Amino acid sequence: MAAAREMVLYYSPEKSDKTRLLKGALVCMGVRIRNIGPEQVNQKVGYLAGLEGFGEEPQPQEQGEALPVIPEEMLLLHGFSNSRLDALLKQLRKSKATVALKAVLTESNCAWSFYQLYEEIRAEHEMMAQGKSKH
């Protein structure tokens, strides 16, 4: 994957004051924001991020087929250096706009659907939370 300008794919099931704070922090850092809606959860994250090789239009949803639901906020980060990633996370904490579920777009996950990525991040987050509660 070629380096790209920094971008955050942002999914939120509902708008809130936190949404405004989060987007404000991203804009202050000069980061592009791509809002992901509930109708896009079956699309590949590489397509949503505009990566080469993912330029084809997604297949239409079968009539009557329900879309999976993502009930919580999620961030997918693309094009960040380690230092800029650290700065972004610090800025989000400072702005009180942290999001529990976040990931970096990689060669391994770019072919996953947004929902598949959500399921993976959710499982990892739960495992980490269980590990912390045992100490």
Side-chain angles (χ1 to χ4, degrees):
M1 266 185 333
R5 187 170 161 229
E6 297 167 341
M7 176 178 23
V8 169
L9 280 69
Y10 175 61
Y11 175 88
S12 179
E14 56 190 41
K15 303 290 183 241
S16 67
D17 286 341
K18 183 177 164 186
T19 302
R20 185 181 49 76
L21 293 172
L22 183 132
K23 288 184 174 184
L26 295 172
V27 168
C28 282
M29 290 188 65
V31 175
R32 287 188 308 159
I33 303 164
R34 171 102 195 259
N35 294 308
I36 305 301
E39 71 284 356
Q40 296 173 297
V41 299
N42 280 340
Q43 295 176 7
K44 292 182 179 178
V45 293
Y47 170 80
L48 294 171
L51 298 182
E52 277 188 41
F54 292 93
E56 298 177 18
E57 283 296 312
Q59 295 299 313
Q61 190 74 16
E62 294 289 326
Q63 273 200 329
E65 183 182 346
L67 286 168
V69 175
I70 299 176
E72 53 202 316
E73 285 181 305
M74 185 170 128
L75 296 178
L76 181 57
L77 312 167
H78 176 56
F80 287 84
S81 67
N82 287 340
S83 62
R84 284 286 290 172
L85 182 58
D86 289 344
L88 171 66
L89 297 175
K90 184 177 179 180
Q91 181 67 31
L92 293 178
R93 281 190 300 272
K94 182 179 169 187
S95 301
K96 300 198 182 328
T98 58
V99 173
L101 302 181
K102 51 191 160 300
V104 173
L105 185 64
T106 67
E107 288 186 30
S108 299
N109 66 22
C110 66
W112 296 1
S113 74
F114 197 81
Y115 186 76
Q116 286 172 304
L117 185 58
Y118 161 75
E119 288 184 314
E120 183 67 22
I121 297 169
R122 163 74 12 236
E124 287 177 10
H125 185 72
E126 288 174 9
M127 283 178 30
M128 288 175 27
Q130 288 173 356
K132 286 180 182 176
S133 67
K134 292 180 182 177
H135 296 302

